[in-house]
Amino acid sequence: MIKNISVIGAGTMGHGIAEVFALHGYNVSLYETNAEIRGNAKKVIEDELLFLLENDFIKKDDIQKTLENIEMFSDLKEAVKDADYVIEAIPEKIELKQKLFKQLDEYCKKETIFASNTSSLKLDEMSRDISEDRKKRIMVCHWYNPAHLMPIGELSFFGNMPEEIYKEVEELYSNSGKQTVKILKDIPGLVANRIQQAIAREVFSLIEMEVAEPEDIDKALKFGPAFRYATSGQLEIADIGGLDIWCTVGDNLLNVMDNRKEANPLLRKKVLENKLGMKSGEGFFKYPKEKINDIKNKFNKKLIIQLKTSKNYVE
């Protein structure tokens, strides 16, 4: 049974992953090499928990309990020595992950399960330098950002591990409030990111063709397909609408839709102009510096409302 968890990396994803496990009662060791990030991690987590409290998603006592369940580390060996499950959220560079997993293989108990938060790197390449026995206890466990609000957990079952080990991790995620998606093949992007990129490709193409203003394209998605996607999957929607209709519409539309195999030139132009979105103050929309925190809070509040609704819906 998984009781002690180590999270490697306390940045954008890592601190949120640690926060979720700690909120649900697990002992979490959070390792970070960057002293500034390490020093600020608990404050970031506390602020997010306070926001959850303000929106009636957790109780006041949950904040202190969660923070007490997290211990910060600057020494990797110390951070993972008692871990039953270790998940890494370090930069998406194959050499870094190979080196890390080799170290973890040396430092951890033989029973420890390893996981990567990647959605773009192959498991067999990341695990290249670990022992054969450990290769039966390593998997991809992909989270969505923000980790403490997005309820999905994509868990790999690629044939390298016994089903009882997979079930143990699946139970961990279910107990932590996640909806698990069992991924059977090691393909780039797994499932959720591939679906998201397919939608994004057509959205960027519509802007490029000047079919509508960015605000209206987003509105069409939010109050059209995404409105249904909040509660229903594509296959269920297709069944309800009629597969004959979907087949006909597919024949009529797919041959005139964007099918390029690289990022849209419009997107690349934005990047070259340093219009990166909220992080630079402008992307497709403008983000005044003094309003960014309010914009983020408004976004997260909508996610909390969806999370509450979906929780009731699933149960």
Side-chain angles (χ1 to χ4, degrees):
M1 179 182 292
I2 296 172
K3 293 182 179 180
N4 299 317
I5 295 171
S6 293
V7 178
I8 311 302
T12 300
M13 295 302 298
H15 86 270
I17 294 171
E19 181 179 336
V20 170
F21 287 135
L23 178 61
H24 288 85
Y26 293 94
N27 300 316
V28 180
S29 298
L30 182 52
Y31 168 79
E32 173 57 55
T33 57
N34 184 294
E36 183 178 359
I37 294 175
R38 187 172 63 249
N40 291 335
K42 279 205 171 184
K43 180 62 168 62
V44 172
I45 292 171
E46 183 178 14
D47 287 345
E48 290 177 349
L49 291 170
L50 285 168
F51 191 75
L52 293 179
L53 176 65
E54 290 169 10
N55 287 276
D56 300 318
F57 192 75
I58 62 172
K59 298 176 182 177
K60 188 174 182 179
D61 290 347
D62 291 332
I63 296 178
Q64 190 59 34
K65 290 177 183 177
T66 300
L67 295 173
E68 288 175 354
N69 285 340
I70 300 173
E71 186 175 359
M72 301 300 305
F73 286 88
S74 59
D75 184 290
L76 180 62
K77 190 172 184 179
E78 283 297 308
V80 302
K81 66 179 183 180
D82 297 320
D84 303 309
Y85 173 83
V86 180
I87 180 168
E88 64 82 14
I90 65 174
E92 289 287 271
K93 295 181 180 179
I94 189 65
E95 298 84 2
L96 292 179
K97 295 185 189 286
Q98 288 171 339
K99 180 181 178 182
L100 174 64
F101 282 125
K102 185 176 181 180
Q103 288 178 295
L104 293 175
D105 196 23
E106 297 172 3
Y107 297 159
C108 294
K109 304 179 296 185
K110 65 178 182 179
E111 299 86 6
T112 305
I113 300 168
F114 292 172
S116 172
N117 182 52
T118 189
S119 68
S120 62
L121 298 176
K122 295 185 73 64
L123 182 63
D124 60 353
E125 292 178 4
M126 290 188 292
S127 61
R128 183 191 67 183
D129 299 327
I130 64 176
S131 65
E132 291 303 313
D133 285 342
R134 188 76 71 179
K135 288 178 181 178
K136 299 174 184 177
R137 308 182 73 84
I138 187 170
M139 62 194 298
V140 172
C141 295
H142 179 236
W143 297 57
Y144 250 49
N145 185 31
H148 68 296
L149 294 178
M150 295 296 288
I152 188 175
E154 292 181 300
L155 311 183
S156 74
F157 189 61
F158 296 156
N160 62 301
M161 65 167 47
E163 187 161 9
E164 58 265 26
I165 295 177
Y166 174 85
K167 289 288 187 183
E168 190 174 356
V169 177
E170 184 181 51
E171 182 179 5
L172 166 68
Y173 277 69
S174 295
N175 290 343
S176 300
K178 296 299 177 184
Q179 295 295 319
T180 60
V181 179
K182 191 176 187 179
I183 309 297
L184 302 177
K185 289 189 176 181
D186 194 355
I187 60 172
L190 305 178
V191 172
N193 272 348
R194 289 175 75 104
I195 294 171
Q196 181 174 248
Q197 281 297 319
I199 294 171
R201 179 170 63 183
E202 191 58 31
V203 165
F204 297 143
S205 177
L206 289 166
I207 295 173
E208 182 184 32
M209 293 189 291
E210 299 182 338
V211 172
E213 293 295 326
E215 294 87 348
D216 287 316
I217 291 174
D218 266 5
K219 188 186 293 184
L221 179 59
K222 286 191 289 185
F223 297 103
F227 195 83
R228 294 187 298 200
Y229 289 152
T231 58
S232 304
Q234 177 59 60
L235 302 180
E236 181 183 17
I237 290 169
D239 276 349
I240 291 171
L243 299 185
D244 53 334
I245 303 299
W246 277 88
C247 186
T248 299
V249 174
D251 285 339
N252 292 338
L253 287 185
L254 289 175
N255 66 328
V256 297
M257 291 172 65
D258 193 344
N259 65 354
R260 74 188 79 201
K261 298 187 182 299
E262 66 283 322
N264 190 289
L266 179 63
L267 194 61
R268 201 175 304 281
K269 183 174 181 291
K270 292 277 190 186
V271 172
L272 291 174
E273 294 172 345
N274 198 41
K275 294 180 179 179
L276 308 178
M278 191 175 291
K279 66 171 70 175
S280 66
E282 183 178 354
F284 290 106
F285 306 108
K286 292 184 177 180
Y287 304 92
K289 189 174 182 180
E290 68 275 10
K291 294 184 179 180
I292 286 179
N293 193 56
D294 289 340
I295 294 170
K296 286 182 178 179
N297 285 342
K298 185 178 179 181
F299 176 77
N300 287 338
K301 189 166 185 174
K302 287 188 284 187
L303 290 181
I304 291 172
I305 292 170
Q306 288 178 239
L307 193 55
K308 287 179 181 177
T309 304
S310 64
K311 186 178 180 181
N312 294 333
Y313 177 78
V314 170
E315 291 175 351

